[in-house]
Amino acid sequence: MSESKKISVCFTADQFDKYADGKSTVVVVDLLRATSVISTAFTAGVKAIIPVQTLEEALSYKGKEGYIVAAERNAKPIEGFDYGNSPFHYINADVKGKTLVLTTTNGTKAIHNARGHKVITASYINIEAVANHLIEKHNDVIILCSGWKGVFNLEDPIFAGSLADLLMDSDKYESSCDSLFASIQLLKNSNGDLFNYLRDSSHRKRLKSLNMEDDTHFCLSPPIKSDIIPILKGDKLVIL
Ligand code: MLT
């Protein structure tokens, strides 16, 4: 039996340098909504996704043949872009074969900070496929929660608890990371009802104030499942 591999959970994109080791597989999650959007877009047929850091960089692709440009700041769509950051932009949409250029408040920053590692993105849409892939590859794992502007959010660690549970159940992983055990406790406390457990969370309230509760429902309990695992190759997310 090969030795157990390690899992850790990093609560915010800004803390990643405390976890970076240049060899672990990094699983980026921004459950509300960037990595849920990424999973949905690939499932809808998008060919590749370029996560960028600035509005200006994203806008430089506007109007280019075969490109969609999407931007969000503070949960709001940005004037002049094709899309904001809702998964519903990609449901029954003409996006097959297109390249999506995406910039969000936290999720695309987390992907950027994890460069130099094998980086994949996860959501409740592809969680089973991601867990099976990690168990098969059997490498140390850092689950990178995007957080909100450098501080803890509630939804990403709950997802981290879901993924960590699947990995630990395989008996191929172990952990001595307090963030991981806290994430698993948060998941248990939610009693399987994430929507109500998150009723007082900052981002759920932010999305509710913008009439985006449908997005929250979609991301927490997606009506779609996918085996697609987005992986960062150079500056693009492509299908593994
Ligand atoms: C983020 O990047 O923090 C989220 O995706 C924001 C959002 O889309 O609500």
Side-chain angles (χ1 to χ4, degrees), residues 192-234:
D193 184 357
L194 298 189
F195 190 73
N196 282 313
Y197 187 69
L198 291 167
R199 66 187 166 285
D200 296 325
S201 73
S202 57
H203 203 45
R204 186 182 151 196
K205 287 195 286 191
R206 188 175 294 115
L207 290 171
K208 184 175 183 179
S209 72
L210 296 167
N211 295 315
M212 295 177 179
E213 290 259 79
D214 286 348
D215 285 26
T216 302
H217 272 296
F218 183 99
C219 298
L220 297 181
S221 309
I224 57 173
K225 280 290 182 183
S226 174
D227 289 336
I228 293 174
I229 299 173
I231 186 166
L232 190 66
K233 292 289 183 196

Side-chain angles (χ1 to χ4, degrees), residues 19-126:
Y19 293 75
D21 60 11
K23 62 180 178 57
S24 295
T25 297
V26 179
V27 182
V28 174
V29 60
D30 181 336
L31 193 64
L32 296 175
R33 303 166 282 176
T35 56
S36 300
V37 163
I38 288 168
S39 288
T40 307
F42 274 118
T43 306
V46 156
K47 177 176 65 175
I49 297 177
I50 305 175
V52 296
Q53 304 313 301
T54 67
L55 296 173
E56 294 72 21
E57 186 177 359
L59 217 45
S60 70
Y61 290 84
K62 173 97 173 170
K64 281 189 178 176
E65 180 66 29
Y67 286 83
I68 304 164
V69 294
E72 164 276 331
R73 290 291 184 271
N74 300 306
K76 298 173 188 167
I78 304 295
E79 185 85 27
F81 285 81
D82 300 320
Y83 292 162
N85 196 35
S86 170
F88 292 107
H89 295 319
Y90 306 93
I91 305 290
N92 302 322
D94 175 24
V95 296
K96 202 164 180 54
K98 301 255 175 90
T99 296
L100 168 62
V101 181
L102 179 67
T103 181
T104 71
T105 308
N106 304 280
T108 51
K109 177 179 179 180
I111 294 167
H112 178 79
N113 288 0
R115 289 178 342 284
H117 295 71
K118 173 180 173 180
V119 180
I120 61 178
T121 68
S123 67
Y124 278 119
I125 294 165
N126 71 346

